[in-house]
Each structure stands twice: as C-alpha cells, then as structure tokens.
Amino acid sequence: MGGIKTGAGTSTPVAGPPPVHLAAFRVEFTPMISVIVAAYDLQGQLGVCLNSILNQSFRDVEVVAVLDQSAECPAGLVDDYARRDGRVSVVRLTGVAGIGRIRNAGAERAAGDYLLFLDSDHIIGGETLQAMVDQLQSADEPDVLLFGHTRLHRGRSWPGAAADLLARQGREPFASMDQPELFGAPAYSWDRLIRRDLWIRQELAFPDGLHEEVTVVHRAMLAADRVAVLKWNCVQIRRRHTQHPAGSPDGTHFDVFDRYEESFDLLEARDALDVVAPFLFTRMIRHYLFLLNLEGCLSRSERPQFFQRASEHYRRFLPDGYEHPEGREGVKFQLVASGRYTALEAASLPQRARSFVSQGAAVRGR
C-alpha cells in the first residue's frame, strides 16, 4: 500500500474554487492511487474535476495533470492547483498531442500503486476513493478493479452500459477468463483502476489515433491474474459523446478497426478465442453500429466505406455457433453480416431522427 513518506508541511484541502492558502512545502509521498487527468478543458470543467478528486475524504492520492500546447489546456489553472496542493504535479508536452500520448505521459510520471485515468469532464463523489481502497484491501489488491459510471445529459443521469454486468458480479476477485462476459462491456480506461505494476510489466501504452482505449483495456484484462468489482457508480461523465474531445491530430474513426483486430489477435495469442470471442464480437459490432448511428461522427462519403469494413470484420471474426442479439438490434447485426448498407440506413433513420430531439444514442454509451 502507498502512503505519505516525508513532508515538512501539509497540503491544503481543496473546496469549491482552488484553495487560497499555499502549502509551506511540497509534500513528497508514494500514493495509493495516481489519478492521471488529461487537462484538455474544452467545456471549462477542469476545476470541478480537480476539486472532486482533491476534496476526497481519502487523502493518499496524487493528481498528475498533463498539458499539451493546445489553446484548450489552461496551464495557469493547473499551475495554481499545483502550487496550492502538493499532491498535484504537472506534465507539459511539446506541440499538440493526441489523448494516447497525453495519458502515456501521465502514467510514466505516476508513482501510485494504482492508476486511474480521468478527463476534465469527469467528476467523482466525496467517498469514492475510500470505497475503491476498501474494496482493493478486501480483494487483496487485485490487478484490476472495475466500477460503474454514469453519464449526465440534459439534467438526467444515465447508467453506464456495463451496469447490468457489474451488478451480477460478487465481491470476491476472479480471473478474467472466469467472467468472459465482461469483455462485452465498453472498453473505457476511466471505469477501472489498473495496478501500476501490471501496467509496467505488460508495457501497456495507449496508441496514437482514435479509440485508443480498446486494445489497452483488453490487454490489461487478459493479463490480470485477479479482477475485482466495486458496485459503485464512481465516475460521472458530463459530455454527450464517449470519444475524448482532444482526439488525436492524425486519428480517424477508421482506427477502431485496427483496435479490434489487435484485440482479437491478443485472444488468439492467449488461447482465449473460444471463451471470450462471442462477447468481444458482440461488443465490436455494437461499437461499429454506434459509430454509424452517432450524429456527426462519420461524413456521408465515409459511411459506406465504414460499413463495408464493419461487414468484413463481421465475417472475419464471427465465432462458431454465434447467436446474434434478438429484436431490432439483431436485425441490424444481420444487415451488417450481409453487407446491406442501404437497408441498414433505412432501418437506422427513425432512431437517428429521434436521437436529435431526445437523449441521443450516445447517452447510453457504446
């Protein structure tokens, strides 16, 4: 377990705006949890995010805020927090970086036993970190701790797409191969703690481009000897889209195909195809359908090509004996399988029209 090792002064608690009293000396400590925050603040929510971390009742935490040189990164705000609270450190990158490089730089600087990756529009509740640590201790420090999240949109909080899966898990740790249905959940880096030893040992790193989380999350889950679940909605995300707004300077949504190819290669290398493939396959096709349905995600000219790539993946990675979902979703799966783009467009029009005037498909997550 991490803990404060030395310190000639005390760090000042944060409440509301940044604290007004400077700590006399920076506290040096080896924290239990390192929270890596991509300080790309498109919506002006970074201060609220940092306050939600630093206001926690659990204090054995560090914040590694990572800035690039884009106009959306408020260096002055981050520097104020670092001056006022010794638990905050700042990493500055040259040029404009993609979210993968930003998160990798934060992980490299982090000193904690566990890594948590957050964005500027994430918040966590006042007892969340303590609940995480309690479950880590109860589960004898697993390699990965999964937890729930919600999405705030138009004043309503929506449960994450993995809520039902997590609700069915017990409190005891397990091997990921014993619960392969978890590979059917969206692959987010901000709804789990990853042990830093595992991160270093497996040489984990986010790739350049978009959809950078997919393979990293799957690699961590496959490498974990023990996984545990905390049945709390620990993180709230306050943007409509799941894609990080910083994106990647050279990334496109077509990067998602490379990510899933890498993940299926991992399954094959670890002899996990038979067990995991049906769940990962369902997640993959749902992800592709989500992107096809998401307003403004793909241009009109990109959509047919994206669909054809999705259809190719359907046929390439289809598990033996696979049964597609039932109902309307199952019909769309069949249309992807058959390569019938025009039919899928016709089937999707009513849903997309409703999404423009209601909560939208993106609220529910990928």
Side-chain angles (χ1 to χ4, degrees):
M1 291 292 184
I4 293 178
K5 294 199 301 186
T6 61
T10 58
S11 58
T12 305
V14 178
V20 296
H21 300 295
L22 296 178
F25 302 97
R26 178 172 294 275
V27 177
E28 296 179 3
F29 61 100
T30 301
M32 178 67 179
I33 297 174
S34 292
V35 185
I36 295 137
V37 178
Y40 186 92
D41 196 21
L42 185 64
Q43 301 181 54
Q45 301 181 95
L46 180 58
V48 179
C49 171
L50 295 174
N51 288 339
S52 77
I53 302 166
L54 298 170
N55 275 342
Q56 294 284 307
S57 59
F58 181 77
R59 307 287 296 169
D60 191 11
V61 60
E62 72 167 344
V63 174
V64 181
V66 187
L67 302 157
D68 68 6
Q69 294 181 328
S70 63
E72 291 78 12
C73 289
L77 174 67
V78 174
D79 288 341
D80 283 345
Y81 276 90
R83 283 194 297 268
R84 290 168 168 84
D85 196 310
R87 297 172 297 165
V88 179
S89 62
V90 184
V91 177
R92 287 177 167 81
L93 303 180
T94 58
V96 177
I99 184 59
R101 181 183 166 205
I102 288 171
R103 288 176 174 152
N104 291 339
E108 185 175 350
R109 171 69 66 88
D113 294 332
Y114 286 88
L115 305 178
L116 172 61
F117 296 93
L118 295 183
D119 301 330
S120 63
D121 51 10
H122 289 144
I123 57 173
I124 55 178
E127 299 298 324
T128 294
L129 293 182
Q130 185 62 61
M132 290 179 181
V133 171
D134 289 346
Q135 181 61 358
L136 289 173
Q137 293 174 338
S138 175
D140 195 22
E141 302 182 29
D143 294 309
V144 176
L145 177 69
L146 306 175
F147 47 80
H149 73 273
T150 59
R151 184 180 304 278
L152 183 66
H153 182 64
R154 296 186 178 181
R156 182 174 175 182
S157 182
W158 300 81
D164 291 340
L165 281 174
L166 296 181
R168 296 197 292 267
Q169 305 303 315
R171 288 185 57 86
E172 296 300 316
F174 52 86
S176 58
M177 291 300 94
D178 292 337
Q179 301 290 346
E181 64 271 21
L182 291 171
F183 287 86
Y188 299 139
S189 60
W190 37 264
D191 64 359
R192 65 200 66 213
L193 293 178
I194 300 176
R195 193 173 181 87
R196 190 163 64 92
D197 285 350
L198 176 70
W199 186 273
I200 294 171
R201 187 170 66 251
Q202 293 295 319
E203 299 181 338
L204 297 177
F206 295 98
D208 293 331
L210 299 185
H211 306 288
E212 75 293 331
E213 297 170 299
V214 172
T215 309
V216 171
V217 166
H218 294 153
R219 188 182 297 274
M221 289 290 289
L222 287 169
D225 291 328
R226 290 180 304 115
V227 179
V229 169
L230 172 62
K231 297 182 183 181
W232 277 42
N233 289 326
C234 295
V235 174
Q236 183 176 84
I237 182 171
R238 295 166 296 154
R239 66 174 179 266
R240 184 168 179 260
H241 293 187
T242 53
Q243 185 66 38
H244 189 276
S248 178
D250 300 316
T252 78
H253 285 291
F254 286 81
D255 295 338
V256 72
F257 298 109
D258 292 337
R259 302 290 88 85
Y260 279 102
E261 287 178 6
E262 293 162 1
S263 290
F264 273 96
D265 285 346
L266 283 174
L267 295 188
E268 186 171 10
R270 294 178 178 270
D271 295 324
L273 272 175
D274 290 344
V275 176
V276 177
F279 303 100
L280 183 58
F281 180 85
T282 300
R283 169 48 45 195
M284 177 181 74
I285 301 303
R286 282 176 173 163
H287 195 166
Y288 296 165
L289 287 169
F290 171 83
L291 294 174
L292 281 164
N293 193 63
L294 182 60
E295 177 191 1
C297 177
L298 298 163
S299 69
R300 183 182 297 273
S301 62
E302 290 174 326
R303 292 176 61 80
Q305 181 184 357
F306 188 95
F307 175 85
Q308 291 305 322
R309 290 285 303 275
S311 185
E312 290 168 6
H313 270 199
Y314 195 110
R315 294 187 292 271
R316 175 178 170 184
F317 295 115
L318 179 66
D320 293 337
Y322 179 75
E323 296 183 7
H324 59 69
E326 298 180 350
R328 185 181 181 87
E329 184 183 38
V331 172
K332 292 185 178 182
F333 270 54
Q334 289 177 296
L335 293 175
V336 175
S338 65
R340 297 170 62 192
Y341 172 69
T342 303
L344 180 73
E345 284 287 275
S348 299
L349 278 175
Q351 182 178 350
R352 288 212 302 275
R354 288 196 303 271
S355 75
F356 299 158
V357 296
S358 63
Q359 72 272 15
V363 171
R364 300 181 180 88
R366 294 198 291 261

